[in-house]
Every structure is written in C-alpha cells, then in structure tokens.
C-alpha cells in the first residue's frame, strides 16, 4: 500500500460528468490498495465567474480580504461534490477546506505563501479508511484569516501536502497527458517529455508554462517529492519531474514558454549617483510588487535610463509608487508599455552549446520582430517582444530547435484529440 496525493484542476472537474469520471479514477486507486488524499480546484471557469461578479458589485479593485472570502467558495463546492460522487460509488470520503486541513499561510491576501501544515485531521481521516478531499488554493493565517495562494495555487497545496504527510507520490492531473516542449494548443506537434528536471520545470513554470505552478515545483525540489504530471482523461503515462532528467540526443532546448502577463516600465533621465536603483526597487518591494527583467543603459551626460518588467496587474500600482518617489530620485519621465509577451527557451544543456542565443535572435529577426529586452541564465533565455505575432514566434522557434515531432499532442477529453 502507498500513500498518494492526487490533484485535479478545474478542467478535470468542469461539470458533473467530469466530476464522476474523476471520482471513478480515485476509487480505482483506493480499491487497488492505496491511501488517497485528493486536492481539487474550483470547477471550470468558477473562479473567473466569481471575479466577474465582484466587478459588477464593486467599482475598482475590491478589498483583498473579501476577494479571498469570495474566491475560496469555488473550491469548497468542488470538494463537497467530489466527496458525494465518491460516496455514490460505495467508498468513504470526507471533504475539508484548506484551513480544516491545517494549512497555514503568511498574512497576505491573494498570493499568500504556505508557512506550515499541521495535517493531523487529514492523517486521522486516512486512518479511518477515508479518501480525503482537500480544497486547493487556500489556507488560513495564525490569526484565523482566510487567504488564497494565487492562481494555480492548488498545485502548491498538493505538493506541500504530499511533503507534509510524506506521501509516496504526488500526481498532478490536468487536460494534457504530460509536460510538452511548448503549449500543445499552439504547436500540435509539440514533443511530450518523459521526464524533466526540477530546475528546468521551475524555469518553465516561472516563465509562463501553465501546466505547473512555480511554488509547487519549488516544494517538490526542496522536499524531494516524487511528482508526475498526467491527464485526467486518459491512462497514458505522464511526465516525471525529478532531480536529474535524461537528455534526448541532439535536443538542447527542452521547452519553450511564453508569458503574456507582461508590462514594461521605463524610468528615463535618472541622475547618475549611488543608490538610485536601490531606492526604486526597495519602494516596489515594500508594496509587494514583483519585478522581473531589469536593464540599465549607459550613462550619458550624467543620467541613465533603465527599464524593468512587471505583471499587468501590478503596472498601475508600480507607476503610482514611482511617482511618489520622483522627488527623491529626480528622474525626467516614466513610460510604460503593454501588449508585450515574454518568450523563453529552457534547457540544461544550453550553457555548454554555442549558437543557442544566435538561433533565437535570428528566428525572431526573420519574422520582422524587434526585441525589447533580453534576460539570460545558465538554463534559460528570455526575449520580450510585441504580442502580435506570438503564434508564429513559438512555432518558428520550436522548429528551429528540432523539437517538432510527427505525432499530435493530446489535449482535453477523449473526444478532443487534435
């Protein structure tokens, strides 16, 4: 007997029939002798629908605390219905919210981090023979406030729980049957990876690949959680995420990711003196604004320009922060851009292979597209470009790096092979 954590995303439980299919799959594992903890997201578009409803009620950005109270209801619906579906198949099941499961977070709304898990109630329910259904994406502060972990946070719930209860395996079920070399909805001949390293997967997740949440990969790496990504619609073998992965012969770039949630902010005419950058980024950090790529130009006539990227949601907030410190910095003006996309290539073998960067630059240039910003590390390279030709860029890069296959990727339910 083994202890398994199974996580099902919103598309996997999107309606009553899919919910029943997931319940059947869980019961099969239970009846095969395994103990099962199941983490579930909100059904289908429930979270988006709740956000839209809040916009009809409140002008502007609603209070963060109340948004967390609202959005966590989506997962509560899912866990209760899935528990009922399992009962209907003759097995014992019990559903818990994040806070009932002992998941504690920092006191930050909308994107809290898990600080501790006290899974006593979960373990006791398992000992009593139950399938334990846990609401993903949510937790509670020490003061008893409900929090959410940010979009995709159910992955983090699953992996963190797996670490806390010392599960033998954590399976992430989604609408694709593994991790692909790029988004299979854009590139139908994307390459399915049998395995990928934690580091490569973490880069892809941070760079926009939506199949796994970055914090979930961090937990898996830090606690050595055995992690598999597979489809909830088929029984195909999935992708193993592990410490080291075998590289395919001749494949240097393992994956191509993109992120459309990008805004560029440029601060122009900053007087050249020590501490200017520190003042800007300390002010942004104090407002919990994440910053990604940072580029500074050379000093001309005693002043410099620099640019950075942030999320679209943080753009206005960042502009407000920079305006507040204008007197302290003494810059000439601030500009911002949207309608951008960050396109990235990832691969552990890139650092020792000449020409990888040149290929990326040439592919983008041949499409007549200008590159705004560039960022590199040992295993990744990112370019910020105009969003207009995203599909063409991804497909051209995928072909240029030899990632195309002769098989079509599997996406969606059994009837959706395309």
């Amino acid at each position: 007997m083994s202890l398994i954590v199974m996580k099902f995303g919103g598309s996997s439980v999107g309606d009553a029939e899919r919910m029943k299919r997931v319940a059947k799959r869980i019961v099969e594992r239970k009846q095969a002798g395994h103990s099962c903890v199941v983490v579930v997201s909100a059904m289908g578009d429930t979270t988006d629908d709740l956000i839209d409803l809040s916009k009809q009620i409140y002008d502007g950005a609603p209070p963060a605390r109340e948004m967390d109270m609202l959005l966590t209801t989506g997962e509560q619906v899912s866990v209760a219905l899935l528990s009922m579906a399992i009962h209907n198949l003759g097995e014992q099941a019990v559903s818990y919210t994040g806070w009932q499961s002992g998941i504690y977070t920092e006191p930050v709304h909308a994107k809290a981090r898990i600080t501790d898990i006290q899974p006593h109630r979960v373990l006791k329910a398992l000992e009593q023979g139950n399938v334990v259904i846990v609401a993903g994406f949510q937790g509670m502060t020490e003061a008893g406030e409900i929090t959410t972990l940010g979009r995709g946070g159910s992955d983090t719930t699953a992996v963190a729980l797996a670490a806390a209860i010392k599960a033998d395996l954590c399976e992430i079920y989604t609408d694709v049957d593994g991790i692909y070399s790029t988004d299979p909805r854009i590139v139908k001949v994307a390459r399915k990876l049998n395995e990928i390293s934690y580091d490569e997967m973490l880069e892809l997740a941070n760079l926009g690949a939506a199949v796994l949440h970055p914090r979930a990969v961090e937990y898996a790496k830090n606690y050595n959680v055995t992690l598999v990504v597979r489809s909830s619609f088929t029984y195909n073998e999935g992708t193993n995420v592990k410490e080291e992965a075998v590289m395919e012969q001749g494949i240097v770039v393992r994956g191509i990711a993109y992120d459309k949630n990008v805004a560029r902010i440029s601060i122009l005419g900053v007087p050249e003196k020590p501490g200017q950058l520190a003042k800007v980024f300390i002010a942004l950090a104090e407002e919990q604004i994440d910053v990604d790529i940072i580029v500074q130009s050379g000093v001309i006539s005693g002043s410099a320009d620099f640019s950075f990227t942030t999320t679209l949601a943080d753009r206005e907030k960042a502009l407000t922060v920079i305006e507040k410190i204008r007197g302290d910095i003494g810059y000439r003006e601030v500009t911002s851009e949207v309608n951008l996309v960050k396109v990235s290539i990832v691969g552990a073998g890139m650092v020792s292979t000449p020409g990888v960067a040149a290929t990326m630059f040439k592919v983008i240039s041949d499409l007549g597209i200008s590159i705004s910003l560039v960022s590199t590390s040992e295993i990744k390279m990112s370019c910020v470009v105009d969003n207009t030709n995203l599909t063409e860029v991804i497909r051209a890069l995928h072909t240029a790096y030899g990632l195309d296959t002769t098989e079509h990727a599997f996406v969606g339910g059994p009837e959706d092979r395309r």
Side-chain angles (χ1 to χ4, degrees), residues 264-268 277 281 291-297 305-309 335 337 372-373:
R264 173 181 174 173
I265 295 176
S266 299
I267 306 179
L268 310 177
L277 285 176
F281 293 107
V291 173
D292 187 15
I293 302 173
I294 304 171
V295 176
Q296 179 176 342
S297 69
D305 303 336
F306 67 89
S307 300
F308 63 90
T309 60
T335 63
E337 296 175 70
S372 300
L373 296 168

Side-chain angles (χ1 to χ4, degrees), residues 370-386:
S370 298
I371 298 172
S372 300
L373 296 168
V374 177
S375 174
T376 64
S377 74
E378 288 187 348
I379 66 170
K380 68 96 173 173
M381 179 175 178
S382 300
C383 294
V384 176
V385 299
D386 185 86

Side-chain angles (χ1 to χ4, degrees), residues 344-358:
S344 307
I345 56 174
V346 173
M350 287 170 47
V351 67
S352 59
T353 305
V356 175

Side-chain angles (χ1 to χ4, degrees), residues 295-318:
V295 176
Q296 179 176 342
S297 69
V299 178
I300 301 176
S301 300
S303 67
D305 303 336
F306 67 89
S307 300
F308 63 90
T309 60
T310 188
T311 64
L312 291 172
D314 281 340
R315 172 177 164 267
E316 289 297 331
K317 191 176 179 182

Side-chain angles (χ1 to χ4, degrees), residues 78-89:
S78 292
V79 296
L81 290 174
L82 184 56
S83 181
M84 292 177 193
I86 292 171
H87 277 284
N88 197 52
L89 294 175

Side-chain angles (χ1 to χ4, degrees), residues 89-222:
L89 294 175
E91 286 290 340
Q92 291 177 249
V94 60
S95 64
Y96 293 139
T97 62
W99 45 97
Q100 288 175 318
S101 307
I103 298 173
Y104 289 88
T105 75
E106 61 186 1
V108 175
H109 289 292
K111 50 182 178 181
R113 290 181 176 271
I114 296 173
T115 56
D116 188 26
I117 297 182
Q118 299 176 15
H120 315 299
R121 197 168 183 181
V122 171
L123 293 172
K124 183 175 180 180
L126 284 172
E127 291 173 1
Q128 294 170 345
N130 290 286
V131 173
V132 180
I133 318 291
V134 176
F137 173 68
Q138 58 188 245
M140 181 177 69
T141 69
E142 291 289 345
E145 290 292 319
I146 293 172
T147 56
T148 61
L149 310 182
R151 298 302 292 265
S154 292
D155 290 347
T156 308
T157 303
V159 180
L161 260 178
I165 65 176
K166 296 180 171 52
D168 299 290
L169 174 66
C170 181
E171 296 179 321
I172 306 293
Y173 288 84
T174 182
D175 58 353
V176 293
D177 61 351
I179 296 164
Y180 281 83
S181 51
T182 194
D183 186 345
R185 297 166 185 81
I186 290 180
V187 180
K188 305 303 182 185
V189 291
R191 181 183 299 264
K192 180 182 170 183
L193 307 178
N194 293 324
E195 54 186 46
I196 187 170
S197 70
Y198 290 131
D199 289 337
E200 289 173 320
M201 189 65 245
L202 184 56
E203 287 285 10
L204 286 171
N206 276 316
L207 294 168
V211 68
L212 275 177
H213 193 280
R215 291 184 194 170
V217 185
E218 287 178 3
Y219 265 102
K221 177 178 173 61
N222 292 340

